[in-house]
């Protein structure tokens, strides 16, 4: 297990998000008031690209059917605006740290 650089701070200003890849994982990095969080980058509903959605406070809103996830916990906080056949799963959470200008994620 080691931390791998996935982005630089300048790429993700406060209130912004970025999609990154680590191995085969799609990861969303969000900057909330200068603190960085990393959760799964694809919506657990039907794979919407969360980085193309909206970040409101600590909540990311999926661009496809508006499911919402808390970027600090990965928990789903609102269902999609379409009928669901099964409960919406939470997003995985990744360990993230900043070293100088670099943003790193723990690769397990
Ligand atoms: S794909 Fe994200 S809400 Fe449907």
């Amino acid at each position: 297990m080691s931390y791998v650089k996935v982005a630089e701070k300048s790429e993700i200003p406060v209130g912004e998000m970025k999609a990154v890849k680590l191995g085969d994982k799609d990861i969303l990095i969000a900057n909330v008031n200068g603190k960085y969080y990393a959760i799964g980058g694809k919506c657990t509903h039907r794979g919407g690209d969360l980085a193309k959605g909206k970040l409101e406070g600590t909540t990311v809103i999926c661009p496809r059917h508006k499911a919402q996830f808390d970027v600090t916990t990965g928990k789903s906080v609102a269902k999609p605006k379409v009928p669901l056949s099964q409960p919406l799963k939470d997003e995985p959470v990744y360990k993230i740290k900043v070293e100088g200008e670099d943003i790193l994620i723990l690769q397990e």
Side-chain angles (χ1 to χ4, degrees):
M1 295 201 312
S2 58
Y3 278 90
V4 177
K5 178 182 173 181
V6 291
E8 294 188 357
K9 282 164 66 178
S10 59
E11 299 172 71
I12 316 172
V14 170
E16 301 282 322
M17 304 181 286
K18 181 178 168 70
V20 300
K21 273 253 184 203
L22 186 59
D24 60 353
K25 293 192 173 73
D26 290 293
I27 298 176
L28 175 80
I29 299 178
N31 180 342
V32 179
N33 295 329
K35 195 161 172 6
Y36 296 89
Y37 298 93
I39 65 170
K42 298 287 180 202
C43 182
T44 57
H45 179 228
R46 289 194 206 141
D49 185 355
L50 293 180
K52 297 204 169 107
K54 261 177 87 175
L55 183 63
E56 289 184 352
T58 60
T59 301
V60 57
I61 304 168
C62 178
R64 291 192 64 191
H65 316 103
K66 313 294 182 210
Q68 299 182 16
F69 301 89
D70 187 323
V71 298
T72 69
T73 62
K75 297 245 182 290
S76 76
V77 291
K79 292 184 179 136
K81 302 269 185 247
V82 291
L84 275 183
S85 53
Q86 53 197 24
L88 191 65
K89 291 200 183 104
D90 297 335
E91 291 287 353
V93 177
Y94 299 97
K95 289 209 170 81
I96 187 166
K97 72 173 181 180
V98 174
E99 272 182 10
E101 285 306 303
D102 297 341
I103 297 173
L104 303 95
I105 287 181
L106 186 64
Q107 187 165 41
E108 300 189 41

